[in-house]
Amino acid sequence: KYMDKLANRLKELRRLSNLTQKDVSLKAGLSPRSYQGLELCETQPKLSTLIALADTFNVSLDFLVGREGDFKDSLYKSKSDIL
């Protein structure tokens, strides 16, 4: 269940920031395939990966995994802020 929420949040944050999967993976220090696996619910992330992704999008870990808030409450970064 949390993996589905995580995957949906990652896709939506990436879409709202106008980034590619490769953009996000490079900024978060992941391989493009590892990041793709997260969006497809194929990979169980390490805590360090979740922290890197939360930092990349400027959101809390709770928000990233769907435990709190929604997109209207979140402060996400635009592509120019991330890259």
Side-chain angles (χ1 to χ4, degrees):
K1 183 177 176 181
Y2 109 87
M3 287 296 294
D4 291 334
K5 289 182 180 181
L6 172 64
N8 289 334
R9 290 281 165 105
L10 288 173
K11 290 175 203 173
E12 188 65 10
L13 285 165
R14 183 172 60 78
R15 186 187 66 77
L16 289 170
S17 299
N18 196 31
L19 295 169
T20 65
Q21 288 181 345
K22 185 175 180 180
D23 292 335
V24 176
S25 68
L26 291 174
K27 183 63 179 174
L30 304 170
S31 72
R33 180 64 189 110
S34 292
Y35 180 78
Q36 182 183 48
L38 293 172
E39 283 197 4
L40 296 174
C41 295
E42 296 174 346
T43 307
Q44 182 84 15
K46 295 180 182 179
L47 178 58
S48 59
T49 298
L50 292 173
I51 291 170
L53 290 166
D55 288 349
T56 297
F57 289 115
N58 193 34
V59 297
S60 71
L61 287 174
D62 279 344
F63 178 82
L64 189 64
V65 298
R67 292 182 46 151
E68 72 175 26
D70 61 26
F71 281 97
K72 69 179 181 195
D73 301 325
S74 133
L75 295 176
Y76 58 87
K77 293 182 178 181
S78 68
K79 182 175 184 175
S80 61
D81 293 331
I82 294 171
L83 298 178

